[in-house]
Amino acid sequence: MDGLIVYFHGGGWMLGALDDFDTLARTLAHRTNCAVLMPAYRLAPEYPFPAAYEDSLDSVTWAAKSITSLAGDNVPLVLTGDSTGGNLVAATAQSLRGKADIAFQVLIYPVTDIDFNSGSYTEHADSTILSRRDMIWFFDNYAPGEERFRPEVSPLRAEDLSDLPSAYVLSSEYDVLRDEAEAYAAKMRLAGVDVTTKRFDGMSHGFLRMHKLFDVADVALNDISEAIRSAVAKRE
């Protein structure tokens, strides 16, 4: 294996199971020649913040110490996640800065802020895929109090984004999360982080999991895979 990918699935911190993302993870492993570890983190409302965040920290810390047994060699570590999984990647990368050797982070239409009044939230408030109302419900169940403003929940609100791992950030045009994903990428870039951004026009939230059904999603997964392969190759 050329690397180890730790993949956190989305689902609003409340939904989703490993089986739902099995095909995506296997395809990613095949296209990157990396081992893929998918942690099953605790879900709200039974386990609100900081449960999922703490599970992500524990998973990545353990993975960093177990790379040889998981991937067969001391290969680079890559964090990847979609939606709220991308949120966990961003928060974990911030918290483990200087503590774990993370080679690369991939944020796929990530949740990065608590602002329900951004341009994309306003434009796509009533989306049938992910609506403004849906996101309010997710936040109310995962981080119902003032904790939602902390960078562990809203990574965009962190004061310092310097010295983070290089990143690939994917956004989709018809997505309430589009603006905050792109804002987080821009803020990392301003802090000196090497960031690649890709917006997929015409796409809605969650489209990547349909990579076996239509070409644009397959192209997006190929783009992510190429970015991971390139990042891993730079660390060899």
Side-chain angles (χ1 to χ4, degrees), residues 30-87:
H30 174 71
R31 295 186 186 182
T32 60
N33 196 42
C34 292
V36 176
L37 173 69
M38 248 196 325
Y41 56 88
R42 290 170 291 173
L43 302 176
E46 292 82 1
Y47 299 101
F49 177 82
Y53 165 70
E54 290 178 342
D55 289 350
S56 67
L57 284 178
D58 290 344
S59 298
V60 174
T61 300
W62 176 80
K65 296 177 179 178
S66 308
I67 285 179
T68 301
S69 61
L70 292 169
D73 201 353
N74 187 25
V75 295
L77 175 63
V78 176
L79 305 188
T80 304
D82 67 279
S83 193
T84 48
N87 170 273

Side-chain angles (χ1 to χ4, degrees), residues 5 11 39 45 54 67 82 88 93 121 125 141 166 193 205 209 218 228:
I5 298 170
E54 290 178 342
I67 285 179
D82 67 279
L88 295 175
Y121 260 105
N141 281 279
S166 57
V193 180
H205 187 80
R209 285 175 59 200
D218 193 58
I228 292 174

Side-chain angles (χ1 to χ4, degrees), residues 5-231:
I5 298 170
V6 180
Y7 190 101
F8 292 100
H9 69 78
W13 304 289
M14 296 180 65
L15 310 172
L18 299 187
D19 287 348
D20 298 335
F21 292 81
D22 184 72
T23 299
L24 176 59
R26 290 177 183 273
T27 305
L28 190 62
H30 174 71
R31 295 186 186 182
T32 60
N33 196 42
C34 292
V36 176
L37 173 69
M38 248 196 325
Y41 56 88
R42 290 170 291 173
L43 302 176
E46 292 82 1
Y47 299 101
F49 177 82
Y53 165 70
E54 290 178 342
D55 289 350
S56 67
L57 284 178
D58 290 344
S59 298
V60 174
T61 300
W62 176 80
K65 296 177 179 178
S66 308
I67 285 179
T68 301
S69 61
L70 292 169
D73 201 353
N74 187 25
V75 295
L77 175 63
V78 176
L79 305 188
T80 304
D82 67 279
S83 193
T84 48
N87 170 273
L88 295 175
V89 168
T92 298
Q94 287 185 21
S95 296
L96 294 182
R97 184 170 26 187
K99 301 175 184 177
D101 186 11
I102 300 168
F104 196 53
Q105 54 177 325
V106 178
L107 309 177
I108 303 165
Y109 28 76
V111 178
T112 69
D113 199 14
I114 186 61
D115 182 7
F116 301 128
N117 297 305
S118 69
S120 55
Y121 260 105
T122 301
E123 292 171 34
H124 309 299
D126 298 320
S127 170
T128 56
I129 304 298
L130 180 68
S131 68
R132 183 178 185 272
R133 183 178 179 181
D134 293 335
M135 285 304 304
I136 291 173
W137 183 67
F138 288 141
F139 268 101
D140 284 348
N141 281 279
Y142 177 62
E146 291 299 309
E147 291 173 326
R148 62 178 58 192
F149 298 100
R150 293 172 50 170
E152 293 89 347
V153 178
S154 297
L156 182 59
R157 299 188 178 238
E159 293 183 5
D160 180 14
L161 297 183
S162 62
D163 299 320
L164 287 173
S166 57
Y168 175 103
V169 181
L170 181 151
S171 62
S172 44
E173 181 181 9
Y174 301 118
D175 184 0
V176 293
L177 304 179
R178 182 196 67 211
D179 288 358
E180 65 195 70
E182 294 174 2
Y184 190 66
K187 190 171 181 178
M188 282 195 290
R189 189 176 290 114
L190 283 174
V193 180
D194 181 13
V195 181
T196 298
T197 57
K198 285 290 183 73
R199 178 194 289 191
F200 282 83
D201 292 333
M203 295 294 102
S204 299
H205 187 80
F207 77 96
L208 190 68
R209 285 175 59 200
M210 293 181 277
H211 62 93
K212 288 189 175 293
L213 299 179
F214 61 93
D215 291 344
V216 177
D218 193 58
V219 168
L221 187 55
N222 266 336
D223 204 54
I224 290 168
S225 300
E226 289 175 8
I228 292 174
R229 289 199 305 269
S230 177

